[in-house]
Amino acid sequence: MLQIMKGWSYILSIHLTSALKNKSVRNFEEATENILHFMSKLININTLFVAKNDKQTNEIKKAVNKNAVLLETGSTLPFDETFCKVSVDKGNEILLIEDIIENEQTKHLNVTASLGGGSFIAIPIYYEDGENYGTICGLDTESFEFTEQHIELFQTMSSLLTYVLELDKANKEIKDLSVPIVPLTKGVAILPIIGHINEYRADIIIQSTLESSTNLELEYMIIDLSGVSRINNKVSEYLLNIVKLLKLIGVTPILTGFRPDLAMKTLEIDVDFNGIMITNNLESALFEIGFILNKTENKHLRSQPVV
């Protein structure tokens, strides 16, 4: 039996590699959609879906229906009224229900009456720390015969989604570190840009900068370039795009921290920074917008408006 399971795992890995080949998966949602479509080729059940719960509400994050549309992405139900809760309560084991009307745990649920019968398979998806994210499930209104291969398929995909969850979490943390926007005072924040700026990172900076500017209700964004490793035509283009977009949403950008080598390179590539406020350091930038930096008795810096 063990040899058969290993053989099936090998087949799964080949199919999954083929299914994901040449596909760029940017986040957990995209990975979920790809995985469900991949699974639908290996199990002929009507509906496959991934649901997320917060112990109160069960939300369908992705659903793939073959024939009848049993579930739609984005739909919600009270968690206690779902088959998913039965799966979560069972723990990290596969839940197989060949007849939802006859099963003691599901026959009383409103969703069972709505479906009118059928079969259900599920297993929880967990974060690495053991907290439950939700479930990956299969549903059909017809009686469905589950095999050992189906069970291993769901177990494998549950483990894979746990791995993807952690990658997604790590990626978001890296993005946050890549764009460390620091509020200085009401309406003012600083964005220190460190290292090299490529197109991918520029997109992250733009997205995070615009979101933070709106959420923090900023009037000024001070962009500190002292940590930028090098500047060229592309980097200058990215910076100008950030500046233009900030202006479009009503935020005044201020560039500061041009090192001598960056300043010289900027002249060489003939970048047009006309109409953009530029200062030599953070203190000057704050002074330009009406703030001064004072040293307190414990030698920390604080900003005060100029009166």
Side-chain angles (χ1 to χ4, degrees):
M1 182 65 180
L2 181 61
Q3 191 64 35
I4 294 173
M5 298 291 272
K6 284 182 178 179
W8 173 241
S9 295
Y10 176 70
I11 293 171
L12 270 181
S13 66
I14 292 176
H15 278 289
L16 186 56
T17 301
S18 176
L20 299 180
K21 187 178 181 181
N22 298 324
K23 288 188 177 181
S24 176
V25 177
R26 293 176 295 181
N27 51 46
F28 179 77
E29 286 72 22
E30 289 188 5
T32 297
E33 185 170 9
N34 287 337
I35 286 170
L36 291 179
H37 281 290
F38 161 70
M39 291 176 68
S40 69
K41 298 176 182 178
L42 301 179
I43 181 171
N44 193 32
I45 199 167
N46 187 84
T47 301
L48 293 163
F49 66 96
V50 168
K52 181 180 181 180
N53 75 78
D54 59 3
K55 303 294 191 296
Q56 302 295 323
T57 302
N58 200 60
E59 179 184 1
I60 307 302
K61 302 301 290 185
K62 289 291 178 183
V64 174
N65 297 282
K66 284 191 174 181
N67 299 311
V69 179
L70 303 182
L71 290 170
E72 293 184 350
T73 299
S75 59
T76 61
L77 278 176
F79 184 52
D80 289 341
E81 290 294 319
T82 65
F83 298 159
C84 294
K85 183 179 185 301
V86 179
S87 174
V88 172
D89 288 346
K90 186 175 175 65
N92 192 22
E93 297 179 31
I94 200 80
L95 172 69
L96 295 177
I97 301 177
E98 294 185 356
D99 189 334
I100 59 176
I101 292 179
E102 295 295 327
N103 186 274
E104 290 295 325
Q105 294 175 293
T106 58
K107 65 182 184 180
H108 66 284
L109 297 175
N110 291 332
V111 66
T112 301
S114 298
L115 292 168
S119 301
F120 182 73
I121 181 173
I123 189 169
I125 303 167
Y126 294 99
Y127 292 99
E128 195 173 54
D129 62 6
E131 181 185 354
N132 178 242
Y133 168 87
T135 47
I136 181 168
C137 316
L139 176 66
D140 207 308
T141 52
E142 302 294 331
S143 179
F144 194 92
E145 184 178 348
F146 298 109
T147 67
E148 288 294 328
Q149 291 180 345
H150 295 150
I151 292 172
E152 187 181 3
L153 174 64
F154 275 83
Q155 289 172 332
T156 301
M157 295 308 148
S158 172
S159 298
L160 177 59
L161 286 172
T162 292
Y163 176 69
V164 175
L165 270 176
E166 291 306 311
L167 282 181
D168 198 36
K169 179 182 175 183
N171 190 41
K172 288 175 181 176
E173 290 174 350
I174 290 171
K175 286 183 179 180
D176 290 341
L177 290 172
S178 180
V179 193
I181 296 172
V182 182
L184 295 179
T185 187
K186 183 178 173 68
V188 182
I190 183 170
L191 168 62
I193 299 180
I194 301 170
H196 178 58
I197 307 174
N198 55 24
E199 183 176 3
Y200 174 71
R201 189 173 178 215
D203 288 340
I204 294 173
I205 292 172
I206 289 171
Q207 181 181 348
S208 297
T209 301
L210 295 179
E211 288 178 359
S212 296
S213 296
T214 302
N215 294 337
L216 297 172
E217 299 180 347
L218 296 182
E219 296 178 38
Y220 298 94
M221 175 70 78
I222 302 171
I223 303 173
D224 183 4
L225 304 174
S226 59
V228 173
S229 58
R230 66 178 182 272
I231 194 164
N232 53 33
N233 286 320
K234 274 293 182 185
V235 173
S236 300
E237 182 183 335
Y238 300 147
L239 289 174
L240 289 173
N241 284 340
I242 295 170
V243 167
K244 289 175 183 177
L245 288 169
L246 283 171
K247 286 184 174 181
L248 282 175
I249 63 171
V251 178
T252 300
I254 305 173
L255 299 182
T256 188
F258 272 103
R259 302 190 311 270
D261 58 316
L262 292 181
M264 292 295 293
K265 187 63 178 178
T266 300
L267 285 176
E268 289 177 17
I269 59 180
D270 193 26
V271 181
D272 183 11
F273 284 126
N274 286 332
I276 302 171
M277 190 184 300
I278 300 176
T279 66
N280 62 338
N281 55 40
L282 174 60
E283 185 175 359
S284 299
L286 288 171
F287 184 79
E288 287 292 330
I289 59 177
F291 287 83
I292 58 173
L293 285 177
N294 284 338
K295 288 186 177 181
T296 61
E297 290 183 1
N298 57 4
K299 296 185 180 180
H300 290 297
L301 294 176
R302 65 180 181 182
S303 63
Q304 290 184 339
V306 176
V307 294

